[in-house]
C-alpha cells in the first residue's frame, strides 16, 4: 500500500514538474511565438483550413521572412468606389512558406484606395477589412504583432523607389507623438500573382490601440471627433469651414469620426461649430495684444512636433492634404501624421528645394508662426531633436534597419515593378536628375537630400522669427 502511495506521489511530482517546466517554457516564449499559439487557436475555431488557393492558381514555391497576405478576389474586379467580398490567407510567422497552410483565413471587404497614386501609378493601393465567415461581424487581427484591428491600409511603394520613406517617417513620428500609425512590411499576392512589397499600415481611426477617443457623445451633441483636410469631393461629410469660406484655409474639411453611418445631426452641427469657432478665433487673433490663447485649444507640443516632422521631411502636402485633426471630449486639438511618399524631394509635380520653408505657409501654421512664443518652441525643439531623433546617425540607422527587414523582398519587388526605373514619374522641368535609374541611386538621392535638408534647417530654422508679429 505504502509502495503504491509512493508511486502515485512520484507520478504527481513528475506531473507537477513537467507542468512547471511547461509553464517556464511558455514564459520564455517570445511574443511572436505566443502570437502563433493564439493564431492556431483562432484557426481551429473560426477559420478551418480549406485553402485551395495554391491549386487554384497553380503557384510556385515561395518563402520569405516577411508576413504574406494572399488575396483571393473570387474573379471579381476590385474598384475604389465599392468593396468586394474576397478571402485573405495570412502567413504571419518568422519564416513563411506558402506551400504550408496559412495561419489564418478570413473573409474580407476589399477595395482600392489613394488619390494621385490611384490615377498615376500602376501599383494598386488597397484598403482591407477582415470579417468572420458570416460577413455580419468584423474581425480584429494584429498583423505582424501590431495591435489587433479589422481595418488596414496596404500601401504599395511605387513612386518611392527606396520603399522606405513612409516607414522612416512613421517610425520617427511614433518616437515623438502621442500616436502615429504603426506598420509592417509584407509581401502580397492577388489571385495567385505576386504583387511585391507592401506596407501594412494602421488606418487613422477611433479604436483601441489607435486613436483611443471616447465612443459616446453628450446630449448636447458634443463628441470626440476626427477631421480630415483633403481635396474637394474625395470624402463624405465635407463642408466649408470658417477658414475656407473666408479665404484663410484651402481644400475641403470632412468629419471622419463619428462615421457617416453613425453620426447624428446634432453631433455634426456641434462639430462644425466647434471647428469653426477655433478657426475664427485663430485667424482674428492679434498676438501683439492679450486676449486669445490658442494653447487653450491646441496641444502645442503636439503641433510643434507635427510641424518639425513634416518640415524636416519636406512634406509638401502636410497641412493642406491628408491632414488629420482629432479632439477628445473636452480635449484639445491634436494632429495625426499621414503619407510621406512624396517627401525628401520625391514630390511628383515639381521639385521641392531643400532650402525652402514649407510648413509656415500651411493652414493654421501660417497664423501660429506669427506668434513668437510658438516659433520659439519650434526652434528650441528642433535643436533638441537634432541631438536625438533627428540626428543623421539615428535616421541612417533606421533606414538601414528597414532595408534589412525588407531583405531579399527588395529584389523580388523589382522583378515586377523594375520597369518603373525607366519611367519619368517626377515630371517637371528639373526632372532629368530626379528619376533614379536603380535602387542604389534612389537610396543615394534620399540620403543626399536628407543631409542637405538637415544642414539647411540647422542654419535657417530661426528664420521663422521673421514671420512673427509680436
Amino acid at each position: 500500500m505504502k509502495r503504491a502511495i509512493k508511486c502515485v506521489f512520484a507520478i504527481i511530482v513528475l506531473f507537477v514538474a513537467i507542468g512547471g517546466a511547461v509553464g517556464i517554457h511558455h514564459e520564455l516564449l517570445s511574443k511572436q511565438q505566443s502570437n502563433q499559439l493564439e493564431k492556431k487557436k483562432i484557426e481551429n475555431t473560426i477559420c478551418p483550413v480549406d485553402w485551395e488557393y495554391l491549386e487554384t492558381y497553380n503557384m510556385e514555391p515561395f518563402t520569405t521572412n516577411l508576413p504574406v497576405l494572399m488575396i483571393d478576389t473570387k474573379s471579381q474586379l476590385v474598384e475604389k468606389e465599392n468593396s468586394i467580398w474576397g478571402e485573405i490567407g495570412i502567413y504571419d510567422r518568422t519564416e513563411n512558406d506558402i506551400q504550408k497552410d496559412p495561419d489564418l483565413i478570413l473573409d474580407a471587404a476589399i477595395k482600392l484606395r489613394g488619390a494621385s497614386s490611384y490615377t498615376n501609378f500602376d501599383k494598386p493601393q488597397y484598403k482591407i477589412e477582415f470579417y468572420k465567415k458570416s460577413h455580419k461581424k468584423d474581425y480584429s487581427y494584429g498583423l505582424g504583432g501590431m495591435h489587433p484591428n479589422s481595418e488596414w491600409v496596404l500601401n504599395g511603394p511605387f513612386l518611392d523607389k527606396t520603399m522606405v520613406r513612409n516607414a522612416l517617417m512613421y517610425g520617427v513620428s511614433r518616437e515623438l507623438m502621442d500616436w502615429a500609425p504603426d506598420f509592417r512590411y509584407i509581401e502580397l499576392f492577388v489571385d495567385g500573382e505576386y504583387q511585391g512589397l507592401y506596407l501594412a499600415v494602421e488606418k487613422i481611426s477611433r479604436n483601441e490601440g489607435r486613436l483611443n477617443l471616447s465612443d459616446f457623445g453628450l446630449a448636447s451633441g458634443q463628441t470626440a471627433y476626427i477631421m480630415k483636410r483633403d481635396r474637394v469631393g474625395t470624402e463624405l461629410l465635407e463642408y466649408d469651414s470658417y477658414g475656407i469660406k473666408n479665404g484663410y484655409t484651402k481644400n475641403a474639411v470632412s468629419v471622419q469620426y463619428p462615421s457617416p453611418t453613425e453620426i447624428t445631426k446634432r453631433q455634426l452641427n456641434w462639430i462644425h461649430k466647434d471647428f469653426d469657432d477655433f478657426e475664427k478665433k485663430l485667424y482674428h487673433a492679434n498676438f501683439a495684444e492679450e486676449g486669445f490663447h490658442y494653447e487653450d485649444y491646441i496641444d502645442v507640443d503636439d503641433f510643434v512636433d507635427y510641424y518639425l516632422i513634416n518640415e524636416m521631411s519636406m512634406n509638401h502636402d502636410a497641412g493642406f492634404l491628408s491632414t488629420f485633426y482629432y479632439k477628445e471630449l473636452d480635449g484639445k486639438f491634436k494632429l495625426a501624421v499621414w503619407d510621406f511618399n512624396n517627401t525628401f524631394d520625391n514630390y511628383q509635380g515639381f521639385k521641392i528645394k531643400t532650402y525652402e520653408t514649407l510648413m509656415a505657409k500651411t493652414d493654421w501654421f501660417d497664423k501660429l508662426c506669427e506668434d513668437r512664443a510658438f516659433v520659439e518652441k519650434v526652434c528650441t525643439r528642433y535643436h533638441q531633436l537634432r541631438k536625438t531623433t533627428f540626428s543623421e546617425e539615428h535616421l541612417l540607422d533606421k533606414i538601414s534597419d528597414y532595408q534589412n527587414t525588407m531583405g531579399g523582398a527588395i529584389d523580388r519587388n523589382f522583378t515586377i515593378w523594375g520597369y518603373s526605373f525607366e519611367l519619368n514619374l517626377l515630371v517637371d522641368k528639373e526632372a532629368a536628375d530626379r528619376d533614379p535609374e536603380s535602387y542604389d541611386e534612389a537610396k543615394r538621392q534620399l540620403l543626399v537630400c536628407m543631409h542637405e535638408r538637415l544642414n539647411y534647417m540647422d542654419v535657417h530654422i530661426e528664420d521663422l522669427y521673421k514671420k512673427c508679429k509680436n
Side-chain angles (χ1 to χ4, degrees), residues 299-411:
D299 184 320
V300 178
D301 291 340
D302 177 89
F303 271 61
V304 167
D305 282 347
Y306 181 91
Y307 180 104
L308 288 171
I309 287 165
N310 288 287
E311 186 71 66
M312 185 272 285
S313 62
M314 303 162 59
N315 192 353
H316 180 270
D317 287 348
F320 293 127
L321 302 173
S322 297
T323 299
F324 291 84
Y325 315 88
Y326 64 99
K327 188 177 181 184
E328 180 57 285
L329 271 170
D330 293 325
K332 298 180 181 181
F333 283 109
K334 295 185 178 183
L335 291 154
V337 298
W338 190 250
D339 192 2
F340 294 94
N341 190 48
N342 292 315
T343 56
F344 294 112
D345 194 22
N346 201 50
Y347 196 75
Q348 188 181 26
F350 47 84
K351 183 177 180 63
I352 305 294
K353 299 177 178 63
T354 56
Y355 51 88
E356 64 180 319
T357 298
L358 299 174
M359 290 300 296
K361 305 171 186 176
T362 63
D363 296 339
W364 291 18
F365 287 106
D366 54 355
K367 185 65 179 182
L368 290 170
C369 285
E370 292 181 4
D371 180 51
R372 184 169 297 273
F374 183 81
V375 169
E376 185 173 358
K377 283 182 176 290
V378 169
C379 294
T380 300
R381 179 64 164 162
Y382 174 76
H383 293 306
Q384 291 172 346
L385 293 179
R386 278 294 276 136
K387 300 173 184 177
T388 54
T389 311
F390 284 6
S391 72
E392 285 192 66
E393 180 181 8
H394 182 67
L395 295 171
L396 292 175
D397 283 347
K398 292 185 79 67
I399 291 173
S400 179
D401 286 345
Y402 295 135
Q403 289 176 324
N404 289 336
T405 297
M406 289 186 281
I410 295 174
D411 290 336

Side-chain angles (χ1 to χ4, degrees), residues 85-304:
W85 283 111
E87 200 171 53
I88 297 182
I90 303 171
Y91 293 79
D92 202 359
R93 307 167 184 141
T94 53
E95 295 181 3
N96 293 293
D97 181 352
I98 67 169
Q99 300 301 310
K100 299 178 180 178
D101 291 333
D103 294 280
L104 199 59
I105 303 168
L106 292 170
D107 281 1
I110 306 161
K111 65 188 299 186
L112 298 179
R113 61 168 300 278
S116 59
S117 62
Y118 175 75
T119 55
N120 298 337
F121 307 141
D122 294 343
K123 194 173 186 179
Q125 317 290 312
Y126 296 94
K127 177 188 171 186
I128 60 174
E129 186 169 6
F130 296 130
Y131 279 83
K132 292 183 177 181
K133 291 291 181 181
S134 65
H135 292 184
K136 294 180 180 179
K137 184 173 176 57
D138 58 5
Y139 185 81
S140 292
Y141 175 76
L143 280 170
M146 291 186 282
H147 198 285
N149 202 283
S150 60
E151 292 187 278
W152 298 91
V153 168
L154 302 183
N155 170 255
F158 188 78
L159 180 66
D160 175 18
K161 306 297 176 53
T162 69
M163 298 183 289
V164 81
R165 281 175 169 84
N166 267 321
L168 173 64
M169 296 313 301
Y170 286 144
V172 165
S173 300
R174 286 178 64 79
E175 294 179 33
L176 300 179
M177 305 193 76
D178 287 346
W179 182 86
D182 203 357
F183 57 92
R184 294 292 187 276
Y185 282 106
I186 66 163
E187 293 186 81
L188 181 68
F189 289 82
V190 176
D191 293 343
E193 296 291 329
Y194 180 65
Q195 301 297 310
L197 259 170
Y198 275 72
L199 206 63
V201 185
E202 290 184 324
K203 183 175 178 283
I204 296 176
S205 59
R206 192 224 71 82
N207 288 106
E208 182 182 351
R210 297 191 180 177
L211 295 180
N212 197 16
L213 303 173
S214 301
D215 61 354
F216 63 89
L218 305 182
S220 64
Q222 185 175 354
T223 177
Y225 64 89
I226 304 172
M227 302 287 277
K228 181 182 181 183
R229 190 182 300 277
D230 217 327
R231 294 175 178 85
V232 175
T234 59
E235 301 288 337
L236 299 175
L237 300 183
E238 289 182 353
Y239 89 107
D240 289 342
S241 69
Y242 175 86
I244 295 169
K245 288 179 180 177
N246 291 275
Y248 296 115
T249 62
K250 302 175 181 64
N251 297 318
V253 176
S254 63
V255 180
Q256 301 289 299
Y257 172 77
S259 71
T261 58
E262 296 179 350
I263 194 168
T264 67
K265 185 174 182 180
R266 184 170 290 180
Q267 286 175 326
L268 189 62
N269 291 338
W270 185 88
I271 291 171
H272 289 176
K273 182 178 185 304
D274 188 64
F275 198 84
D276 285 357
D277 283 350
F278 173 70
E279 287 199 332
K280 184 174 183 179
K281 290 173 182 175
L282 176 66
Y283 281 103
H284 285 275
N286 182 347
F287 295 126
E289 300 176 358
E290 291 294 327
F292 172 66
H293 300 282
Y294 57 81
E295 59 270 25
D296 293 336
Y297 298 85
I298 68 171
D299 184 320
V300 178
D301 291 340
D302 177 89
F303 271 61
V304 167

Side-chain angles (χ1 to χ4, degrees), residues 9-42:
F9 181 76
I11 292 171
I12 292 172
V13 170
L14 179 62
F15 185 81
V16 171
I18 292 172
V22 171
I24 293 171
H25 175 67
H26 278 289
E27 288 178 7
L28 295 176
L29 283 174
S30 68
K31 182 178 180 182
Q32 188 165 12
Q33 289 172 313
S34 298
N35 286 344
Q36 295 307 320
L37 294 175
E38 185 61 30
K39 290 169 194 167
K40 287 300 179 185
K41 293 178 186 176
I42 295 169

Side-chain angles (χ1 to χ4, degrees), residues 50-60 98-99 101:
D50 54 357
W51 194 234
E52 298 178 356
Y53 195 94
L54 304 183
E55 292 77 12
T56 300
Y57 295 108
N58 193 27
M59 296 182 64
E60 298 293 328
I98 67 169
Q99 300 301 310
D101 291 333

